[in-house]
Amino acid sequence: MDFIIQTIRAKEFYMSFVIFDATAISNDPYVTFLNEQFPKRSIQVWPDVDDPENVDYALVWKPPAELFEKLPNLKAVFNLGAGVDALLKSNVVPDHLPIIRLIDPILNQGMVEYVTWAVLRYHRQLHHYDNAQKRAEWLKLSPTDARTTRVGILGLGELGQACAQALCPFGFKVMGWSRSEKQVGGVDSFYGTDGLNVMLGQCDMVVCLLPLTDETQGILNTTLFSKLPKGAKLIHVARGGHMVMDDVTQALDEGRLEHATLDVFPEEPLRTDHDFWAHPQITITPHIASQTLPSAAIEIIADNARRLEKGDKPVGLVNRDKGY
Ligand code: NDP
Ligand code: OXD
């Protein structure tokens, strides 16, 4: 046993990491927390890499192709976020390398906070009170009943399930749609095309938490909106590519959608002259529904790196065929 532990420690001693987050203000926090986890190991920030042949693990968000061309002996790639659509689409990661996405309770918590805020805001009609305040109008609306308010979540994975479970205690009727059937306490599970149609017909609010894949690209379109009860609300926190923007505008104009809370857009940042910014029935946030927290992410990645060194399966291994 001592020998095994010593072998693992010895292997860890040689573990070497490269970090690159294209959107981070600074990669320093990742370096600091990784150093705490693996003191004295080689931790470098791309492109300043002294010994490219010896790098074992890359921690990346939107990396350049060159990174993979110049690091020939990588053992695995850690995605510094939950969604791997950009990484898979860029096709830069060699086929033989495992990609591990971020499954992190702190990321779940961030999404739970955002989705709960958006659902409660609609439930308590605060979007109407926000607009009334702008008109200096003392508007008093009839109260709504959580027990008759139905929330449907597209994507009942890590984030979708966490949000569904957080909404149940408020008394909402919570439903979720996924590829496979789920057993989540208090949540009605729907799957397949038929399941989607049945669920949509009952959604006063629909939350999108699907991964962006060939199958889900453009799913938030006129066809989907036409299946919702009139006046439904949309909370979109997945990826911009799910949403057909003109169809959102049309659904709002026709009253199919009453309001939309949008965190993600096909082109980010959203153009400053885009109509959505001033639309009275749209709330915009700049892709912040849940952001990777370096301290938390590094704990998860370090645990996974140790698993890989021991020959164990990491948590969050991406299925490239499925695209998530
Ligand atoms: P998961 O992979 O854990 O869950 C994805 C869910 O979507 C699963 O339930 C899966 O079904 C379902 N699904 C996938 N494809 C289909 C399909 N064709 N039909 C029906 N259901 C489908 O992902 P996460 O919950 O971790 O993350 C979801 C997405 O959230 C990420 O991909 C990312 O785009 C987005 N995100 C956005 C953030 C933001 O700040 N706005 C932050 C973090 C993530 P099954 O379980 O049956 O496979
Ligand atoms: C993610 C994101 O996928 O921040 O983690 O969008």
Side-chain angles (χ1 to χ4, degrees), residues 61 79-85 102 107 238-239 264 287 290-292:
W61 185 252
N79 188 53
L80 288 165
V84 286
D85 47 292
L102 192 59
L107 200 67
R239 283 290 183 269
V264 286
H287 199 144
S290 189
Q291 292 173 276
T292 298

Side-chain angles (χ1 to χ4, degrees), residues 130-144:
D130 283 348
N131 285 336
Q133 181 176 351
K134 288 186 192 123
R135 301 188 298 268
E137 181 186 347
W138 187 264
L139 172 78
K140 223 166 166 179
L141 299 166
S142 307
T144 51

Side-chain angles (χ1 to χ4, degrees), residues 40-112:
K40 303 201 186 91
R41 307 312 192 285
S42 161
I43 297 168
Q44 306 176 82
V45 176
W46 177 265
D48 302 322
V49 182
D50 296 333
D51 51 350
E53 301 78 31
N54 292 324
V55 176
D56 299 309
Y57 298 108
L59 284 60
V60 296
W61 185 252
K62 303 195 172 162
E66 201 195 353
L67 182 146
F68 297 98
E69 287 156 16
K70 298 235 165 112
L71 305 178
N73 295 319
L74 283 176
K75 296 180 190 166
V77 179
F78 292 107
N79 188 53
L80 288 165
V84 286
D85 47 292
L87 194 56
L88 295 184
K89 194 171 166 213
S90 67
N91 208 16
V92 290
V93 184
D95 291 345
H96 70 278
L97 279 183
I99 299 177
I100 298 136
R101 70 188 193 90
L102 192 59
I103 297 185
D104 171 7
I106 301 299
L107 200 67
N108 287 5
Q109 175 63 24
M111 192 56 83
V112 162

Side-chain angles (χ1 to χ4, degrees), residues 264-297:
V264 286
F265 301 88
E267 198 187 315
E268 294 181 2
L270 181 65
R271 281 194 339 257
T272 48
D273 62 351
H274 198 282
D275 294 347
F276 276 15
W277 284 109
H279 199 297
Q281 291 153 270
I282 294 179
T283 294
I284 289 175
T285 52
H287 199 144
I288 50 71
S290 189
Q291 292 173 276
T292 298
L293 195 66
S295 56

Side-chain angles (χ1 to χ4, degrees), residues 61 81-85 101-103 107-108 111 154-161 177-182 190-192 208-213 215-216 219 236-239 242 263-264 268 287-292 322-324:
W61 185 252
V84 286
D85 47 292
R101 70 188 193 90
L102 192 59
I103 297 185
L107 200 67
N108 287 5
M111 192 56 83
L154 302 172
L156 210 46
E158 288 297 323
L159 299 172
Q161 287 192 28
W177 180 64
S178 44
R179 193 195 285 267
S180 52
E181 191 174 8
K182 304 282 175 212
F190 295 85
Y191 55 98
C208 183
L209 268 169
L210 287 164
L212 183 62
T213 64
E215 287 174 37
T216 64
I219 191 170
H236 183 32
V237 281
R239 283 290 183 269
H242 289 122
D263 183 56
V264 286
E268 294 181 2
H287 199 144
I288 50 71
S290 189
Q291 292 173 276
T292 298
K322 281 187 176 173
Y324 62 97

